Amino acid sequence: MNLVFLGPPGSGKGTQADRLAQRTGMSHLSTGDMLRAAVKAGTELGKTAEGFMTRGELVPDDLLIAIIKEKIDSGELNTGFILDGFPRTIPQAKSLRRMLEENDANLDCAILFEVSDEEVVKRLSGRWYCPVCNEGYNYPMKLPREEGRCDKDGADLKRRSDDQPEVVQNRLEVYKKQTQPIEDYYREESKLVVIDGEQPPDQVFTSLLEHVS
Ligand code: AMP
């Protein structure tokens, strides 16, 4: 099964993708995580992407399409994948379709986690992560046992630079302008499934399992 997860920043795509991947053995591919790793490693891709990411803008399509094409063509995703953060524009969605066709594969469905703007702002202002193991925390929903420290390795928790309030506003606008049209693209293909992303995480996961099973 091949799935795309859609939804504004902070809608829980990453958390739900992680859980589904653990449950099913599907590959979870987060373009945001891949870009952050490239920035940290100081690669050419990272150097190009960093400015766009810091401003809350999208990284140019050709770079993202090349990253995903490499993964799909390598056969690494043959056991089924969850794309988290890709596609984010209509050209990316069209390229994904072409790339899958070229590999005799197809997309089963696009799952949209629907969350209001107010909830996005609330969630992102309480989001922290561990820079060592990448575990995510959320005040007040998922607190670490010791304030400011990761439960797994004790590292000091950090905030994503693009979770600052001004950048969050920009990310929301970018989502509406550039990414939301993809919802209609998949709706017209009868591939869109909408889940209420404001339910508690366990309930969102139950809804997700109902749909994908
Ligand atoms: P995320 O972790 O999914 O919120 O992504 C963080 C940032 O990475 C986004 O705000 C964009 O700057 C960039 N990014 C991630 N995926 C894409 C994509 N498919 N197309 C363009 N930019 C992306």
mmCIF file of all heavy atoms in Angstrom, residues 8-10 114-126 168-169 172 176 198:
data_model
loop_
_atom_site.group_PDB
_atom_site.id
_atom_site.type_symbol
_atom_site.label_atom_id
_atom_site.label_comp_id
_atom_site.label_asym_id
_atom_site.label_seq_id
_atom_site.Cartn_x
_atom_site.Cartn_y
_atom_site.Cartn_z
ATOM 1 N N PRO A 8 -1.999 20.566 7.327
ATOM 2 C CA PRO A 8 -1.157 21.725 7.642
ATOM 3 C C PRO A 8 -0.052 21.337 8.629
ATOM 4 O O PRO A 8 -0.096 20.253 9.217
ATOM 5 C CB PRO A 8 -2.151 22.706 8.285
ATOM 6 C CG PRO A 8 -3.273 21.877 8.772
ATOM 7 C CD PRO A 8 -3.361 20.701 7.851
ATOM 8 N N PRO A 9 0.929 22.245 8.819
ATOM 9 C CA PRO A 9 1.961 21.953 9.809
ATOM 10 C C PRO A 9 1.308 21.695 11.165
ATOM 11 O O PRO A 9 0.314 22.343 11.510
ATOM 12 C CB PRO A 9 2.812 23.237 9.841
ATOM 13 C CG PRO A 9 2.044 24.279 9.092
ATOM 14 C CD PRO A 9 1.102 23.563 8.182
ATOM 15 N N GLY A 10 1.836 20.720 11.900
ATOM 16 C CA GLY A 10 1.287 20.454 13.236
ATOM 17 C C GLY A 10 0.004 19.649 13.225
ATOM 18 O O GLY A 10 -0.643 19.486 14.259
ATOM 19 N N GLU A 114 -7.332 16.912 9.062
ATOM 20 C CA GLU A 114 -7.900 18.257 9.085
ATOM 21 C C GLU A 114 -7.795 18.876 10.477
ATOM 22 O O GLU A 114 -8.276 18.274 11.451
ATOM 23 C CB GLU A 114 -9.372 18.176 8.675
ATOM 24 C CG GLU A 114 -9.752 19.255 7.724
ATOM 25 C CD GLU A 114 -11.130 19.010 7.127
ATOM 26 O OE1 GLU A 114 -11.976 18.345 7.761
ATOM 27 O OE2 GLU A 114 -11.356 19.503 6.034
ATOM 28 N N VAL A 115 -7.183 20.052 10.551
ATOM 29 C CA VAL A 115 -6.980 20.749 11.832
ATOM 30 C C VAL A 115 -7.152 22.251 11.583
ATOM 31 O O VAL A 115 -6.689 22.756 10.562
ATOM 32 C CB VAL A 115 -5.544 20.459 12.365
ATOM 33 C CG1 VAL A 115 -5.240 21.279 13.582
ATOM 34 C CG2 VAL A 115 -5.367 18.988 12.696
ATOM 35 N N SER A 116 -7.828 22.964 12.502
ATOM 36 C CA SER A 116 -8.056 24.401 12.296
ATOM 37 C C SER A 116 -6.767 25.199 12.508
ATOM 38 O O SER A 116 -5.834 24.725 13.167
ATOM 39 C CB SER A 116 -9.106 24.902 13.304
ATOM 40 O OG SER A 116 -8.560 24.813 14.608
ATOM 41 N N ASP A 117 -6.765 26.441 11.984
ATOM 42 C CA ASP A 117 -5.585 27.309 12.141
ATOM 43 C C ASP A 117 -5.268 27.544 13.621
ATOM 44 O O ASP A 117 -4.115 27.541 14.031
ATOM 45 C CB ASP A 117 -5.844 28.691 11.498
ATOM 46 C CG ASP A 117 -5.882 28.611 9.988
ATOM 47 O OD1 ASP A 117 -5.765 27.497 9.442
ATOM 48 O OD2 ASP A 117 -6.036 29.677 9.354
ATOM 49 N N GLU A 118 -6.325 27.749 14.431
ATOM 50 C CA GLU A 118 -6.115 28.043 15.865
ATOM 51 C C GLU A 118 -5.394 26.874 16.533
ATOM 52 O O GLU A 118 -4.481 27.042 17.328
ATOM 53 C CB GLU A 118 -7.451 28.270 16.602
ATOM 54 C CG GLU A 118 -8.267 29.455 16.137
ATOM 55 C CD GLU A 118 -8.882 29.279 14.752
ATOM 56 O OE1 GLU A 118 -9.335 28.151 14.438
ATOM 57 O OE2 GLU A 118 -8.885 30.245 13.964
ATOM 58 N N GLU A 119 -5.815 25.657 16.176
ATOM 59 C CA GLU A 119 -5.210 24.464 16.771
ATOM 60 C C GLU A 119 -3.746 24.321 16.319
ATOM 61 O O GLU A 119 -2.879 23.953 17.103
ATOM 62 C CB GLU A 119 -6.048 23.225 16.377
ATOM 63 C CG GLU A 119 -5.570 21.906 16.940
ATOM 64 C CD GLU A 119 -5.707 21.767 18.451
ATOM 65 O OE1 GLU A 119 -6.445 22.562 19.089
ATOM 66 O OE2 GLU A 119 -5.043 20.847 18.998
ATOM 67 N N VAL A 120 -3.482 24.653 15.042
ATOM 68 C CA VAL A 120 -2.106 24.571 14.524
ATOM 69 C C VAL A 120 -1.204 25.488 15.345
ATOM 70 O O VAL A 120 -0.142 25.082 15.838
ATOM 71 C CB VAL A 120 -2.049 24.991 13.023
ATOM 72 C CG1 VAL A 120 -0.625 25.265 12.579
ATOM 73 C CG2 VAL A 120 -2.690 23.925 12.142
ATOM 74 N N VAL A 121 -1.661 26.744 15.529
ATOM 75 C CA VAL A 121 -0.839 27.723 16.254
ATOM 76 C C VAL A 121 -0.602 27.241 17.684
ATOM 77 O O VAL A 121 0.516 27.284 18.202
ATOM 78 C CB VAL A 121 -1.529 29.113 16.228
ATOM 79 C CG1 VAL A 121 -0.831 30.097 17.152
ATOM 80 C CG2 VAL A 121 -1.571 29.643 14.800
ATOM 81 N N LYS A 122 -1.660 26.709 18.307
ATOM 82 C CA LYS A 122 -1.546 26.231 19.691
ATOM 83 C C LYS A 122 -0.540 25.066 19.769
ATOM 84 O O LYS A 122 0.351 25.048 20.607
ATOM 85 C CB LYS A 122 -2.934 25.750 20.168
ATOM 86 C CG LYS A 122 -3.047 25.643 21.668
ATOM 87 C CD LYS A 122 -4.479 25.418 22.089
ATOM 88 C CE LYS A 122 -4.772 23.930 22.135
ATOM 89 N NZ LYS A 122 -6.180 23.615 22.245
ATOM 90 N N ARG A 123 -0.672 24.124 18.842
ATOM 91 C CA ARG A 123 0.206 22.944 18.894
ATOM 92 C C ARG A 123 1.671 23.301 18.637
ATOM 93 O O ARG A 123 2.561 22.823 19.325
ATOM 94 C CB ARG A 123 -0.218 21.924 17.831
ATOM 95 C CG ARG A 123 -1.474 21.188 18.208
ATOM 96 C CD ARG A 123 -1.749 20.122 17.182
ATOM 97 N NE ARG A 123 -3.015 19.477 17.429
ATOM 98 C CZ ARG A 123 -3.498 18.500 16.693
ATOM 99 N NH1 ARG A 123 -2.822 18.044 15.672
ATOM 100 N NH2 ARG A 123 -4.658 17.958 16.984
ATOM 101 N N LEU A 124 1.895 24.166 17.611
ATOM 102 C CA LEU A 124 3.291 24.449 17.258
ATOM 103 C C LEU A 124 3.981 25.289 18.320
ATOM 104 O O LEU A 124 5.191 25.194 18.501
ATOM 105 C CB LEU A 124 3.384 25.124 15.880
ATOM 106 C CG LEU A 124 2.902 24.262 14.709
ATOM 107 C CD1 LEU A 124 3.269 24.915 13.393
ATOM 108 C CD2 LEU A 124 3.471 22.848 14.732
ATOM 109 N N SER A 125 3.183 26.077 19.078
ATOM 110 C CA SER A 125 3.841 26.885 20.116
ATOM 111 C C SER A 125 4.232 26.013 21.309
ATOM 112 O O SER A 125 5.006 26.436 22.151
ATOM 113 C CB SER A 125 2.939 28.047 20.550
ATOM 114 O OG SER A 125 1.777 27.522 21.136
ATOM 115 N N GLY A 126 3.732 24.781 21.354
ATOM 116 C CA GLY A 126 4.124 23.898 22.461
ATOM 117 C C GLY A 126 4.987 22.730 22.003
ATOM 118 O O GLY A 126 5.175 21.763 22.729
ATOM 119 N N VAL A 168 5.328 30.487 11.627
ATOM 120 C CA VAL A 168 4.153 29.600 11.593
ATOM 121 C C VAL A 168 3.062 30.229 10.737
ATOM 122 O O VAL A 168 2.441 29.567 9.903
ATOM 123 C CB VAL A 168 3.638 29.317 13.025
ATOM 124 C CG1 VAL A 168 2.262 28.673 12.997
ATOM 125 C CG2 VAL A 168 4.630 28.433 13.783
ATOM 126 N N GLN A 169 2.853 31.562 10.897
ATOM 127 C CA GLN A 169 1.831 32.250 10.091
ATOM 128 C C GLN A 169 2.143 32.095 8.612
ATOM 129 O O GLN A 169 1.273 31.813 7.794
ATOM 130 C CB GLN A 169 1.779 33.754 10.439
ATOM 131 C CG GLN A 169 0.985 34.075 11.689
ATOM 132 C CD GLN A 169 -0.417 33.448 11.699
ATOM 133 O OE1 GLN A 169 -1.043 33.267 10.651
ATOM 134 N NE2 GLN A 169 -0.905 33.066 12.868
ATOM 135 N N LEU A 172 1.438 28.617 7.373
ATOM 136 C CA LEU A 172 -0.005 28.376 7.179
ATOM 137 C C LEU A 172 -0.481 28.981 5.853
ATOM 138 O O LEU A 172 -1.246 28.374 5.116
ATOM 139 C CB LEU A 172 -0.798 29.001 8.330
ATOM 140 C CG LEU A 172 -1.034 28.097 9.534
ATOM 141 C CD1 LEU A 172 -1.631 28.899 10.689
ATOM 142 C CD2 LEU A 172 -1.962 26.944 9.171
ATOM 143 N N LYS A 176 -1.986 27.062 2.527
ATOM 144 C CA LYS A 176 -3.279 27.358 1.873
ATOM 145 C C LYS A 176 -3.110 27.634 0.386
ATOM 146 O O LYS A 176 -3.878 27.163 -0.429
ATOM 147 C CB LYS A 176 -3.951 28.549 2.544
ATOM 148 C CG LYS A 176 -4.548 28.098 3.844
ATOM 149 C CD LYS A 176 -5.331 29.170 4.534
ATOM 150 C CE LYS A 176 -5.666 28.614 5.907
ATOM 151 N NZ LYS A 176 -5.729 29.609 6.926
ATOM 152 N N GLU A 198 -8.192 16.754 14.924
ATOM 153 C CA GLU A 198 -8.259 17.404 16.243
ATOM 154 C C GLU A 198 -8.664 16.426 17.347
ATOM 155 O O GLU A 198 -8.726 16.788 18.507
ATOM 156 C CB GLU A 198 -9.222 18.596 16.188
ATOM 157 C CG GLU A 198 -8.657 19.686 15.315
ATOM 158 C CD GLU A 198 -9.225 21.061 15.591
ATOM 159 O OE1 GLU A 198 -9.837 21.261 16.645
ATOM 160 O OE2 GLU A 198 -9.045 21.932 14.724
#
